[in-house]
Each structure stands twice: as C-alpha cells, then as structure tokens.
Amino acid sequence: MLVGGAAAAATIAVLTAEGCQLSGGAGGPGIPGNLDSYELTAQYSTHTFAGKTLRTRTYDGQIPGPTIYAAPGQPFNVTINNQLPPDPPAKVPASAIVHPVSSMEDMENPAGTHSIGVLSTSIDPMNNPHLFNTTNLHVHGVQIVPHLFDPVGTSNPSAMMIAINPGTSLTYNFVLPPNHPSGLYWYHPHHHGSTDVQVSGGMAGLIIIGGPIDRVPEIAAAREIPIAVQSLQVNADATQPGIYDTEYIAYRTPQNGGYNPRSQYMFVLSNGQLVTLIDFTTVNFGVSTDYPPPQITMQPGEVVRFRILNGTNTLNLPLQLPGFEMYVIGHDGVNLLAPQLIDQTGSGSAFATSAGRIEMLVRAPQTVGTYTLKALAVSDPGVHPWPQFDLMSILVAGAPVSMNIPAALPTPAREYPLIADSEIVGTRNVVFNSKPSTSILPGFALTVNGVVYDEMTIMFDLAVGTAEQWVISNDMPEGHPFHLHTNSFEAHSVTTPSGTTNYTPPIICDTFWIPANGSLTMRVRYKEWKGKDVFHCHKLSHEDQGMMANTMLV
C-alpha cells in the first residue's frame, strides 16, 4: 500500500514534467456514469531542440498532446478546435511538368542525385499531399464507430473525409463498448493529404482506457510510466533563418517547394525530450544520439508499468532494458493472458512497430545504479539503417522493496475466444506495391492492389458478425506497418524470403510490421460497428501518396 500510494503521486509528477500532461474529466477511467470531455486546439507552436527552433503544428502547443482517459461502456467527447491559419490557394498544374525522380530510392533521399522522370499533365489532386492546415481526428486502435468520413458512422460509399477547416471546430461524441479492451491507444489527425505533415510536427497524444487489467493487484501496485516516442520531421525554412518547419506548397514538385517524402531533419523525442537527431542533408545521413533521455527513479526490486507508444512515422523500436526483468503484458491496447518474460540476450527484445503500442512490467535489479531503456539499431532492406538510441534513463536507488509479477491476466472479453477455422467465411488478398507514376509529383505511386487511393471507391465490403482471413503481401524492398481501423486482428504468421514465422497463440493487435518482400496472414472478426472505413500503410508519407483503401462494414 505504501508503494502504491507513493506511486500515484510520482506518476503525476513524471507525466507533468516530461510532457504527457494529465487532462480531461476529473473522474478518470472506470468511473460509472462519468462523461469525460476534452478540447484539443490545433495550433502552431515553437520548441527548441539541439539549438534549432522548430515551428510545427501541435495540439494545445505541446508535444505530445494532452492525454485522454476513457472507460469501457462510457461516453467521451473530443472537440477539435482548428486554430491553424487558412490553407494557401493551390491549383493542380495544367501544363506538363518534369518529375524530379525515377526510383523509390531517389524519391526518399533528398541528398541524392535526382534523375529526370516522365512528363505529365494529369496530376492526381487527391494523392499529392495538400491542405496542410485542414485536419480531423482518428482515435487509433479504439474500437468505436467508424469516424473518418462525414458524418461519423456513415454508410454512404461516396462520403468524403471529415475536414475541419482552419477557424472551425467539431465535436466527436464517442461511446466505448462495455467489453472494450483496457490498455494504451493514441490519437492523431487523419485528413488525407495532410496526415504526414501534421503528425510529423507533433500532433499526437495518448489515450488510456481503464478496465480489468488495472485491478490486478500486482499491476494496481505498480506505477504507470507512459512513454510517447515521436519523430518530428522538418526542413530549414527558406525565408526565416534559424527556423525549421514543414511548410510545403501543394501541387509542386519537391525540388520546387512541394511535398518531399523525406525531410531534411528528423528529431526523435521521448516524452517531448530530444533523444536522437538525424540529418538527411548529408549523403551518409549524419546521426547524433548523444542527447540524455528523460530519467525516472526506481527502488531496488520495484515493479513499474511502462506504456509505450511508437508514434514515429517510420521507425521500428526493438526495446531492451539490460539488467531488468522485462515482461510484456499487452500489444496495441489488448493484454496478454499472462506476462511474457523477454529474453534480452543478444538481440532479444520487445518489439514496437511504427504506430504500435506495447505495455510491459519491468522489475528493477537489487544493484543500485543507472540503467537505460534503449531502442536497438535496426536495418530494414531498402531503408537507411537506424542507430541505437536511448528512450529512458532509470536510476535505481533507495530502500529495496518486494513487488510481484502476476501469474495470469484477465481474458479480454472482446477478443476471445480466438477465431476458429470454422468461423472463416472467406479470404482477402491485399498487395502493397509501388510503381512509376505520371500523376504523383515525386514520381512514384504507392499502391494497394495496384491502385492508388480513391476517396469514393470501396475496395471491400465486410459483413459484420463474420470473420475472415487476410493475406497482406508486401512486394516492395522495404517494410510497411499495416493498420486496420475499427477492429483488432489476430496476426497468425509472417513470411519472408528466408522462411515463415508462426505465432501460437496469435498476436492480437491493430498495427503489424510486414517485412520487405514478405507477407502477413491474419484473421479478423468484424464486430458491431458498421460504416465506411479504411486500412493502410502507417508510414504516413506512403498513406498520403495513395497506399490506403476504403472498406464498407455492412
């Protein structure tokens, strides 16, 4: 009781000091009849990292945005107040242009030697990023009514995405299902054409949904330490020396001030604090990782609960905490049936893909000292390798305590029983690929089943109350994080050129990393929600350039 009581106060101090501000209704999660209302203001704000002043789009002027709390069976409201300036006028080119690249590698490397591509007079107005100050809201992974199209929950196949224009606001009224899984989720903008620019400026925040797992005695006694990892992608401003921002001119080529899939600089933050800086303007990509991460203090033997969001647009995070016992207890808001001890020898790690979340219980060693939660170096084919960097420093000090790891966890009622073979009524085949394009300004289109995104075309009708198997193939030489809206899914196996890995039991999640030239086999049960929805690659530069498709839950 003494450990748990001190933990609550310490958690609030950590959140406030390190950027994950507590906000919203006073009742918090799990309070019957409690209506939590939140207002988020989309606005520019400035932040200084490594001596550089960044001016980006944010929620409430902070990075990350305020934390939202919700509870199964309860309503919560979110008002988006768009205080960004009006979008500058932009016209699709009416005359022939020269594409600046002729390969995917060229497209994603602003420091490279660009080739001359093809001529075109037919520029796609939808899949060339635009309307950078128009926004909306997606509560990522939360299993509620489809809310991307206008109006919320629409079954109109021609419905357009909700667009909250500068100077306007919109309130989303949500009610969580009574059996909703309890865990970590997140929110971010999702207006097609501006998603990457806005999230890459810091527009994202945590959602914590309370429930049965929080009442497990060993977990209730542990402090919660949310960790939001984000990547800010900026360029040196062309007219304001010393300012770094993401201001593109819609419907121009990258060489002429238009959208570029890779910015000049990437700042990686942990709870709003710089931990890694990558300079893409150099041929070999200069990387600096010598920035101290946020720090917490733990007592010897103490157990804390890490709730980690990988809110970056492209990075994978293989996580290690040497010297500690590290137990995974949930993926993407859905808890496991029992804690899973991670073998950290060699490259053994807990893995969080871009847009994914992972929750862990970690137990401090008896030896006092400073330890580090780190993301291991990764090397994905087709993408420049990322170095190892630190996410959290942990000082182990003080009087030892004795805290336990639970033997079992509650069964998430919405996800179990698992989907049986007899439930499967069909198979969906999805292929992620790319191709040279005369209509996408960087010169390459990112496709789903050979086509770029069309806001008014439905690729799949999905029957609510049934279950299906999907095979998502990645025919590209780089990996993609696959994300399905509204319903979680069971990842059963991943195939790469070197073989197949089967997951027994399957991993329940809403976002999953598909390796280069690999495939994912998954199963999904379509639950009660109906309406127009999407699935897509969660590399947001890919999504904004066409790697997304609509579904209709019927």
Side-chain angles (χ1 to χ4, degrees):
M1 290 296 293
L2 289 175
V3 171
T11 299
I12 293 175
V14 168
L15 290 171
T16 302
E18 295 171 359
C20 296
Q21 304 291 328
L22 298 173
S23 66
I31 306 300
N34 179 58
L35 173 62
D36 281 321
S37 294
Y38 298 82
E39 180 173 347
L40 302 171
T41 298
Q43 63 184 79
Y44 278 103
S45 64
T46 59
H47 301 265
T48 300
F49 303 104
K52 289 181 168 59
T53 299
L54 278 58
R55 181 178 181 269
T56 65
R57 300 162 181 86
T58 62
Y59 289 117
D60 292 4
Q62 62 187 65
I63 304 173
T67 298
I68 289 176
Y69 292 88
Q74 303 300 324
F76 72 100
N77 299 337
V78 183
T79 297
I80 301 296
N81 180 22
N82 188 352
Q83 292 300 311
L84 296 169
D87 288 301
K91 294 181 64 175
V92 177
S95 58
I97 62 165
V98 178
H99 286 295
V101 300
S102 62
S103 71
M104 278 292 293
E105 181 180 1
D106 225 12
M107 184 181 79
E108 296 199 347
N109 183 4
T113 301
H114 295 280
S115 305
I116 298 300
V118 296
L119 296 173
S120 174
T121 58
S122 176
I123 302 304
D124 185 341
M126 184 176 297
N127 295 298
N128 286 286
H130 59 288
L131 296 179
F132 300 115
N133 289 340
T134 298
T135 195
N136 60 18
L137 177 71
H138 174 47
V139 287
H140 182 118
V142 183
Q143 298 183 41
I144 54 176
V145 61
H147 53 278
L148 207 57
F149 295 92
D150 191 9
V152 168
T154 183
S155 291
N156 178 4
S158 299
M160 303 297 285
M161 282 193 184
I162 292 171
I164 306 174
N165 296 313
T168 68
S169 63
L170 178 69
T171 298
Y172 292 80
N173 299 302
F174 297 131
V175 178
L176 290 176
N179 62 351
H180 197 287
S182 50
L184 180 65
Y185 301 84
W186 66 304
Y187 64 88
H188 60 79
H190 209 304
H191 186 264
H192 189 59
S194 63
T195 305
D196 181 33
V197 163
Q198 292 181 10
V199 176
S200 291
M203 287 183 70
L206 304 179
I207 300 175
I208 294 178
I209 297 179
I213 190 173
D214 305 308
R215 296 188 284 273
V216 173
E218 296 89 345
I219 293 177
R223 279 188 290 160
E224 289 189 10
I225 309 294
I227 302 174
V229 186
Q230 296 170 273
S231 55
L232 308 187
Q233 297 179 217
V234 296
N235 306 304
D237 189 276
T239 61
Q240 303 178 78
I243 299 297
Y244 296 81
D245 53 26
T246 315
E247 300 301 326
Y248 295 118
I249 303 173
Y251 305 122
R252 286 196 186 176
T253 62
Q255 287 183 323
N256 292 295
Y259 174 80
N260 197 319
R262 178 170 283 165
S263 61
Q264 294 174 344
Y265 301 92
M266 178 187 287
F267 293 73
V268 180
L269 311 182
S270 176
N271 284 353
Q273 187 167 322
L274 178 65
V275 293
T276 294
L277 172 58
I278 302 173
D279 181 353
F280 290 116
T281 64
T282 60
V283 173
N284 293 320
F285 298 167
V287 179
S288 177
T289 61
D290 55 349
Y291 302 101
Q295 185 177 71
I296 63 170
T297 299
M298 292 177 61
Q299 296 169 265
E302 183 182 359
V303 173
V304 302
R305 180 182 185 180
F306 281 163
R307 314 183 82 155
I308 302 173
L309 161 68
N310 182 351
T312 71
N313 275 0
T314 186
L315 300 179
N316 285 326
L317 303 178
L319 302 169
Q320 281 191 349
L321 181 50
F324 278 58
E325 296 174 35
M326 190 166 71
Y327 297 83
V328 174
I329 60 171
H331 297 281
D332 290 359
V334 181
N335 66 260
L336 307 182
L337 299 184
Q340 177 186 2
L341 178 62
I342 299 298
D343 180 359
Q344 300 185 70
T345 58
S347 59
S349 63
F351 182 80
T353 190
S354 175
R357 290 86 61 213
I358 190 166
E359 300 191 54
M360 301 187 291
L361 295 176
V362 299
R363 179 153 50 195
Q366 294 298 318
T367 303
V368 300
T370 300
Y371 300 80
T372 303
L373 174 66
K374 58 187 179 180
L376 301 180
V378 296
S379 181
D380 176 39
V383 178
H384 184 78
W386 304 105
Q388 177 177 304
F389 58 92
D390 300 336
L391 297 177
M392 183 72 69
S393 174
I394 304 170
L395 174 63
V396 177
V401 295
S402 178
M403 298 181 68
N404 296 320
I405 303 295
L409 301 172
T411 299
R414 192 173 178 85
E415 315 302 328
Y416 286 83
L418 296 173
I419 299 170
D421 293 347
S422 59
E423 286 186 73
I424 301 298
V425 298
T427 298
R428 304 282 177 181
N429 292 294
V430 174
V431 179
F432 283 169
N433 209 338
S434 67
K435 61 183 179 182
S437 173
T438 62
S439 63
I440 306 299
L441 287 165
F444 265 72
L446 289 306
T447 63
V448 178
N449 287 357
V451 297
V452 293
Y453 180 64
D454 185 338
E455 200 159 355
M456 291 176 285
T457 298
I458 304 299
M459 183 168 286
F460 297 141
D461 287 319
L462 310 174
V464 171
T466 68
E468 293 184 325
Q469 181 164 290
W470 289 38
V471 178
I472 303 100
S473 300
N474 173 16
D475 286 357
M476 293 178 63
E478 65 171 292
H480 298 280
F482 168 81
H483 175 48
L484 178 69
H485 284 215
T486 301
N487 293 291
S488 62
F489 59 84
E490 300 174 2
H492 280 255
S493 66
V494 167
T495 298
T496 69
S498 59
T500 297
T501 300
N502 295 304
Y503 301 105
T504 307
I507 299 171
I508 301 175
C509 53
D510 58 64
T511 309
F512 200 91
W513 179 254
I514 305 177
N517 300 119
S519 66
L520 164 68
T521 299
M522 62 87 153
R523 293 179 175 182
V524 55
R525 182 184 288 124
Y526 311 117
K527 305 181 181 81
E528 75 262 37
W529 304 115
K530 296 182 179 182
K532 186 176 180 180
D533 217 342
V534 301
F535 64 89
H536 59 89
C537 170
H538 216 285
K539 284 186 179 178
L540 298 181
S541 61
H542 292 184
E543 173 196 318
D544 276 338
Q545 293 179 96
M547 194 171 270
M548 180 163 65
N550 294 325
T551 63
M552 184 67 76
L553 294 158
V554 296

